[in-house]
Amino acid sequence: MRSPNPHAEKGNHLLRGEKLFKNTVVGVLSQAIAALTAAVVQLVFIKYMIKEYLGAKNLFSNILDFLSLAELGIGLVLVYSMYQPLAEKNERKLIALTQFYKKAYRLIAGMVFGSGLLLMPFLSFFIENMDDVPHARFIFFLYLVSSASSYLFVYKQSILNADQRLYIVHLFSMIFSIVQCVLQILILVSGSRNKFFYYLIVQTVLVVLKNFLLTRKAEHLYPFLNTKEKILLTKDEKKAIYKNVFAMFNHRVGAVVLGSTDNLLISKFIGIIYCGFYGNFKMIVNLMTAFISQFFNAMLSSVGNMSALESKDTVYKTFKYLHFLSFWMYTFCTVAFIELANPVLMQILTLMGVEDVQSYGFTFPTILMIGLNFYVIGIRKVPLTFKEAMGLLWYDRYKPIVEAVINVVVSIAAIQSMGIAGIFFGTIFSMAVTSLWVEPLVLFRHGLKRSMGEFWAKEFVYLGFSGAMIALTHVADMKLVNDTLRLTGWLEILAKLGVCLILPNALIALCFCRMKEFGELFGAIGHIVFKKNKPVPVEAAQ
């Protein structure tokens, strides 16, 4: 419902623009530091630890992703539940929600820990030769403690996200990322026989400490949360939460299967060492995602606020230019990954003195599939963000289950003929036949309530143009850099980087500069960055 007070509404525009700007800038900086520190630690890990430990690290992280399904997606439902009471300054409702989720998260921590203990005797199913990974079960136990303990202090932090104060969480994360990086590197380069165990203990302690301090910060900013009074949700309120949690659980299943089966299948059908090799490329993907995803994470609470206060036309205008932005960003990043991932990784490992560097690389078909997997996940981001922010979880609740089944079946079948590349092909295929069309359908039919003709026309143009940029850039790199100039080493990387920076970005700017979304996008950025005393342009345009 729109605000009856136009002046109050204008203030909301200003506040939302400033908070989005702050959340985005601090979020990008925080995640960039987190990704860079993780990359540095990963490279030091490769240098000083055996390949089997590298594979186990990635494998166990993915297994725990599956155990995290016990979280049921409650975090997102909690944030969504807080939008309305925050807008209405309904402290009693916020207290009731927080107390309800406190009990839920304590139950979740126990379920994750208990499930992990039950799974420990069966780790040999995922690792063909357990003797290749010394103390595998104890290592898994340390990972399990770290994962379960992370749920104990997070329930009060959700109000920071819902109130568009995600930058506070990012600041804490940035500090702890740096501290963890320094301590873990010192441990890895030491001569201790048990350094991997100390490496994991440091990780666990810092996760608990960060969550504890963030909880105290939330209590300071929202002192009413410290009340000892017991406030209960009504039956109808609990029913609405349970309904959303059920829907969100299905979505969590789909997300975890898409993101976490890769290493399980690699370990089972290819070998645990290759989990470590894939982990290196996953590290690069995570680095790119760190720069992009924070914008959309910051946008989530702003979209939730906007959808509660603004007209459908205003929300749709914002959706269109963000859809164009995601197409541009993910096209460029995908092109850069496909062309640069292998040579950059090889050069860095060579500089670090790692032996048998070539064994860490992947063939071009595998790199292409990893890149396309990243791209498809990326172009889903805007429709998915709007759908979640508008609370439309129920309408496609069974889609993730279908997607997960297709993913596993096709991946296992494709492994036989395509090797590792087949695993990523299965993920891409499952998203293409489900999420790519179901998520926008739900958003337009139940959220924006408008025809999808314009969306699909642009979506097919974006997809076709992205494919053309991937092919054109690869041909240019092969013909110019490799065949004509015959560059190698860092010169090859710099030349390919130049092609990746210029070719796709210049063509996108040239071909789309007259499109309305192009002007609206740069207008929005200009208003937020340089004219924060004015509302963002889509609202001002009205």
Side-chain angles (χ1 to χ4, degrees):
M1 180 178 294
R2 296 179 65 86
S3 170
N5 186 340
H7 299 291
E9 188 174 332
K10 183 176 181 178
N12 282 331
H13 300 335
L14 169 59
L15 183 61
R16 184 164 58 240
E18 289 182 342
K19 285 185 174 180
L20 176 59
F21 177 72
K22 186 182 294 186
N23 286 337
T24 302
V25 171
V26 178
V28 168
L29 180 61
S30 171
Q31 288 302 307
I33 289 175
L36 287 171
T37 53
V40 171
V41 172
Q42 175 90 342
L43 294 170
V44 175
F45 196 101
I46 293 171
K47 172 69 175 176
Y48 290 95
M49 300 298 292
I50 61 175
K51 293 179 180 179
E52 285 76 13
Y53 274 156
L54 180 64
K57 184 165 75 78
N58 290 286
L59 174 63
F60 292 162
S61 295
N62 281 161
I63 292 175
L64 289 169
D65 283 343
F66 273 95
L67 295 183
S68 72
L69 285 173
E71 196 263 348
L72 304 175
I74 284 177
L76 183 60
V77 176
L78 171 55
V79 171
Y80 173 73
S81 302
M82 287 182 168
Y83 287 146
Q84 197 67 33
L86 275 169
E88 298 171 351
K89 301 186 184 303
N90 187 342
E91 294 184 357
R92 291 186 64 83
K93 178 68 174 293
L94 292 169
I95 292 169
L97 286 169
T98 303
Q99 292 177 350
F100 177 82
Y101 284 103
K102 176 182 179 180
K103 297 177 183 178
Y105 271 114
R106 286 183 174 177
L107 177 62
I108 289 165
M111 291 172 62
V112 169
F113 189 71
S115 301
L117 291 178
L118 292 174
L119 183 62
M120 281 178 63
F122 305 100
L123 288 179
S124 57
F125 175 79
F126 302 103
I127 305 175
E128 188 172 349
N129 189 350
M130 286 285 286
D131 294 334
D132 289 342
V133 186
H135 312 292
R137 288 188 172 86
F138 182 62
I139 293 170
F140 178 77
F141 176 77
L142 293 176
Y143 271 102
L144 179 61
V145 171
S146 176
S147 179
S149 61
S150 67
Y151 294 106
L152 296 177
F153 299 102
V154 299
Y155 56 94
K156 287 184 180 179
Q157 297 175 32
S158 297
I159 196 171
L160 296 173
N161 190 351
D163 201 23
Q164 301 183 65
R165 285 177 162 175
L166 199 57
Y167 63 90
I168 295 174
V169 179
H170 293 320
L171 286 172
F172 276 78
S173 297
M174 184 164 46
I175 294 170
F176 275 86
S177 293
I178 295 171
V179 172
Q180 180 171 316
C181 175
V182 171
L183 292 178
Q184 288 186 325
I185 288 176
L186 291 175
I187 290 170
L188 288 172
V189 300
S190 71
S192 172
R193 293 177 55 189
N194 299 318
K195 56 186 176 184
F196 191 26
F197 304 140
Y198 298 140
Y199 169 96
L200 296 175
I201 290 171
V202 163
Q203 177 176 300
T204 303
V205 171
L206 291 180
V207 165
V208 173
L209 181 60
K210 182 187 75 171
N211 286 327
F212 173 75
L213 293 177
L214 274 170
T215 297
R216 296 300 299 271
K217 181 66 175 179
E219 291 171 346
H220 173 72
L221 291 173
Y222 308 93
F224 58 85
L225 295 179
N226 298 317
T227 181
K228 302 297 182 182
E229 180 185 1
K230 300 296 182 183
I231 303 177
L232 301 177
L233 296 171
T234 66
K235 289 184 177 180
D236 288 341
E237 289 170 338
K238 288 182 179 180
K239 183 178 180 180
I241 289 173
Y242 293 145
K243 178 180 177 180
N244 283 330
V245 166
F246 172 74
M248 195 61 214
F249 173 70
N250 288 347
H251 288 282
R252 286 276 295 151
V253 169
V256 169
V257 170
L258 283 177
S260 302
T261 53
D262 297 341
N263 274 318
L264 299 179
L265 294 174
I266 291 171
S267 178
K268 179 65 179 177
F269 292 98
I270 310 295
I272 192 169
I273 289 179
Y274 289 91
C275 289
F277 296 164
Y278 168 58
N280 297 329
F281 292 97
K282 185 68 173 175
M283 173 185 68
I284 299 174
V285 169
N286 290 341
L287 188 61
M288 296 188 299
T289 303
F291 285 98
I292 301 176
S293 65
Q294 284 313 300
F295 178 83
F296 295 104
N297 291 341
M299 184 179 70
L300 183 62
S301 56
S302 294
V303 172
N305 179 271
M306 182 190 302
S307 64
L309 297 174
E310 308 296 343
S311 69
K312 294 291 190 294
D313 287 341
T314 298
V315 176
Y316 181 56
K317 287 180 181 178
T318 305
F319 171 85
K320 286 195 295 183
Y321 73 71
L322 291 176
H323 185 216
F324 172 70
L325 175 63
S326 71
F327 147 70
W328 193 336
M329 289 193 299
Y330 280 99
T331 297
F332 166 67
C333 288
T334 301
V335 167
F337 174 82
I338 291 171
E339 297 305 312
L340 296 171
N342 247 335
V344 167
L345 182 62
M346 296 302 101
Q347 288 301 310
I348 291 175
L349 295 181
T350 300
L351 281 179
M352 295 187 64
V354 175
E355 298 179 359
D356 193 20
V357 168
Q358 294 302 319
S359 67
Y360 287 85
F362 279 159
T363 63
F364 179 76
T366 301
I367 294 295
L368 177 63
M369 287 298 159
I370 296 174
L372 292 177
N373 185 44
F374 165 77
Y375 174 81
V376 175
I377 291 174
I379 60 171
R380 290 174 50 199
K381 202 74 175 179
V382 170
L384 185 60
T385 298
F386 273 72
K387 183 177 74 72
E388 290 179 349
M390 297 174 78
L392 306 174
L393 303 174
W394 181 256
Y395 298 101
D396 59 346
R397 58 194 178 277
Y398 298 117
K399 181 270 300 179
I401 306 299
V402 175
E403 183 179 35
V405 173
I406 294 173
N407 176 33
V408 172
V409 171
V410 175
S411 294
I412 292 176
I415 288 174
Q416 312 305 320
S417 58
M418 300 174 64
I420 293 179
I423 295 174
F424 306 108
F425 171 79
T427 305
I428 296 167
F429 180 84
S430 65
M431 289 188 289
V433 298
T434 54
S435 293
L436 272 184
W437 65 272
V438 173
E439 289 164 353
L441 178 65
V442 170
L443 172 63
F444 276 77
R445 177 175 293 177
H446 301 285
L448 299 175
K449 299 184 184 300
R450 63 191 307 128
S451 168
M452 297 184 67
E454 183 183 18
F455 168 79
W456 282 122
K458 290 178 178 177
E459 182 80 335
F460 283 120
V461 169
Y462 293 161
L463 290 171
F465 202 90
S466 297
M469 290 303 96
I470 292 171
L472 187 60
T473 306
H474 183 65
V475 171
D477 277 337
M478 294 300 293
K479 295 295 184 182
L480 177 62
V481 179
N482 295 103
D483 296 343
T484 303
L485 299 177
R486 299 182 183 277
L487 299 177
T488 58
W490 288 109
L491 289 177
E492 176 193 4
I493 291 171
L494 289 173
K496 287 186 174 182
L497 177 61
V499 174
C500 292
L501 283 170
I502 295 171
L503 187 58
N505 291 317
L507 288 175
I508 289 174
L510 180 65
C511 295
F512 293 93
C513 62
R514 294 187 178 182
M515 197 169 73
K516 193 173 182 180
E517 284 84 346
F518 188 94
E520 288 179 343
L521 171 62
F522 285 96
I525 294 173
H527 273 272
I528 292 174
V529 175
F530 300 111
K531 301 178 182 179
K532 292 191 289 182
N533 60 321
K534 296 182 180 180
V536 293
V538 288
E539 292 89 356
Q542 296 192 342

